[in-house]
Amino acid sequence: YKIAIIGAGQLGSRHLQGLTKSSKEFNAYVLDPDEKALSLSKLRYLAVSKPDSQNNVSFYRNISDLPKKLDLSIIATTANVRKSVVEALLENCKVKFLILEKVVFQKSDHFLTVKNLFNNINVRAWVNCTRRSYKYYKELKKEINGETLRIKVVGDNWGLACNSIHMIDLFVFLTDQTELVFNNSNLTDKIFSSKRINFKELKGALIVETKRGDILELVDSKSYKDDKFIINVFTKNNHFRIDEINKLSYYKSSSSNLKKKKINIPLQSQITGNILDQILESGESDLTPYNECMNYHIPMLNSFNEHFSKIFGKAVKTCPIT
């Protein structure tokens, strides 16, 4: 199999490590214009690859160096260049399957343009929202069994702007509701610099609701500095408190005492190989289909842009997050 990873930085290098968990034999092509990023990926790959591996990994700086046919490509660039990278890749190579990192794009209109491109050349694509692939969340969905939910995510400095899509996708997965209404009125007026240069971050609370009454509250505030990142899931009678950092879940019902258990929250470097195998074997994936994810990616971006526009005092059409 021929696999390309475009974007060799923090995420791309973890995807490359994850390929070593695949049961397939492959030639991997890692692409990044930055020589430092390529060196990082190479070091991280060598740290986990098996000495007797039959797989080959090559490192390039130009898309024109890639093979003309690829089985699968992972686009792990920042959001501001992702559309142009996708277009350049598909102009140069015939690609069967694509995995896109998130936030997918910074402009709402890019989604439809790229969707039409995928349809025209028959590319199947997914967005790398991985929580719906975790065993714990699959079991939680069965336990919830279609009940209306209230989910409250709290923490300090967890990246509300760039990471909200993961929580929104989990919300959609657990509720099976894809039509969402966004309320940004509780976001703070202060805009923060992201840890990634030239990108912005937000604090405060973003509220998301479904038509049937499910509520997702995403809170990033210093008042939660002791709880760096906690996911609370409430049904009518049950409360699930998920601490992904410490890999613990707490469960309390109206008729039972608090129960605690260890849970598996895998790293990207532990996931990519399994996702690759699933796609190559079945043409399907536990990841979020692109066409589904765009349904709530777009209103999320629009809501953030509305807030940025209010703060900056001018119309913002390009959401400065990644």
Side-chain angles (χ1 to χ4, degrees):
Y1 291 99
K2 292 180 179 178
I3 314 296
I5 297 174
I6 302 180
Q10 293 298 329
L11 259 175
S13 62
R14 297 307 184 191
H15 279 296
L16 181 59
Q17 286 184 318
L19 290 189
T20 64
K21 307 286 187 188
S22 170
S23 63
K24 311 299 180 193
E25 288 188 10
F26 58 81
N27 290 327
Y29 308 89
V30 183
L31 184 74
D32 200 296
D34 185 350
E35 199 65 58
K36 286 183 181 177
L38 292 176
S39 297
L40 172 70
S41 277
K42 193 169 190 177
L43 283 171
R44 286 184 172 173
Y45 178 73
L46 291 173
V48 298
S49 64
K50 296 169 187 169
D52 59 347
S53 172
Q54 299 299 306
N55 302 320
N56 296 307
V57 180
S58 309
F59 298 87
Y60 300 106
R61 295 179 69 180
N62 297 299
I63 277 184
S64 57
D65 293 326
L66 294 176
K68 292 304 176 189
K69 283 190 177 181
L70 292 166
D71 293 288
L72 184 143
S73 182
I74 299 169
I75 313 293
T77 64
T78 46
N80 56 326
V81 298
R82 190 166 287 117
K83 176 177 177 280
S84 59
V85 168
V86 168
E87 290 172 333
L89 173 69
L90 296 180
E91 196 175 303
N92 280 270
C93 311
K94 183 174 175 56
V95 184
K96 197 171 182 183
F97 302 116
L98 266 180
I99 296 172
L100 305 173
E101 272 301 341
K102 42 48 61 195
V103 173
V104 179
F105 305 119
Q106 292 184 321
K107 287 190 172 185
S108 297
D109 58 0
H110 286 177
F111 282 89
L112 191 56
T113 303
V114 172
K115 178 186 175 181
N116 291 335
L117 176 61
F118 290 162
N119 289 343
N120 289 341
I121 59 177
N122 197 26
V123 174
R124 295 206 64 190
W126 295 267
V127 177
N128 192 42
C129 293
T130 55
R131 280 172 178 78
R132 55 173 69 197
S133 74
Y134 297 179
K135 182 182 177 186
Y136 174 76
Y137 288 119
K138 287 181 178 181
E139 290 174 348
L140 180 61
K141 181 171 182 173
K142 286 181 185 174
E143 203 157 339
I144 289 166
N145 195 28
E147 281 194 65
T148 303
L149 299 182
R150 181 168 70 88
I151 299 179
K152 185 170 184 178
V153 180
V154 299
D156 175 32
N157 207 30
W158 58 269
L160 188 151
C162 68
N163 288 318
S164 275
I165 192 62
H166 280 300
M167 295 299 100
I168 295 164
D169 186 78
L170 179 62
F171 182 54
V172 168
F173 173 66
L174 294 175
T175 61
D176 285 321
Q177 306 294 302
T178 57
E179 288 188 51
L180 309 178
V181 177
F182 288 76
N183 180 342
N184 59 24
S185 61
N186 291 310
L187 292 173
T188 65
D189 288 347
K190 187 176 179 183
I191 305 295
F192 298 85
S193 293
S194 166
K195 60 184 178 182
R196 291 188 176 92
I197 195 164
N198 297 326
F199 297 102
K200 301 300 180 187
E201 257 306 336
L202 297 168
K203 286 185 178 290
L206 179 70
I207 314 297
V208 187
E209 296 185 54
T210 70
K211 286 186 175 179
R212 74 170 190 178
D214 306 275
I215 298 173
L216 171 67
E217 188 176 355
L218 302 171
V219 184
D220 191 321
S221 166
K222 279 187 167 55
S223 61
Y224 289 103
K225 61 180 180 292
D226 292 332
D227 285 333
K228 290 292 183 191
F229 184 73
I230 300 292
I231 302 169
N232 295 283
V233 179
F234 300 93
T235 65
K236 185 179 179 182
N237 296 311
N238 302 317
H239 175 201
F240 303 88
R241 185 177 187 272
I242 304 141
D243 179 352
E244 291 191 344
I245 294 172
N246 295 303
K247 301 186 177 184
L248 290 170
S249 171
Y250 303 83
Y251 166 72
K252 179 87 172 66
S253 76
S254 55
S255 59
S256 75
N257 295 323
L258 184 71
K259 296 175 184 175
K260 180 173 84 169
K261 71 174 182 179
K262 289 287 287 181
I263 58 175
N264 182 30
I265 303 294
L267 301 169
Q268 188 64 61
S269 57
Q270 299 168 315
I271 298 170
T272 302
N274 292 332
I275 288 170
L276 178 83
D277 288 355
Q278 187 186 35
I279 291 173
L280 294 177
E281 288 168 11
S282 68
E284 301 296 335
S285 177
D286 284 338
L287 298 180
T288 314
Y290 175 84
N291 289 353
E292 179 182 323
C293 204
M294 67 181 278
N295 289 335
Y296 39 96
H297 235 97
I298 291 171
M300 180 194 76
L301 287 182
N302 290 343
S303 183
F304 285 150
N305 277 343
E306 180 184 64
H307 185 69
F308 283 122
S309 297
K310 183 181 78 173
I311 304 306
F312 294 146
K314 60 180 182 181
V316 174
K317 297 278 180 74
T318 302
C319 193
I321 65 174
T322 191

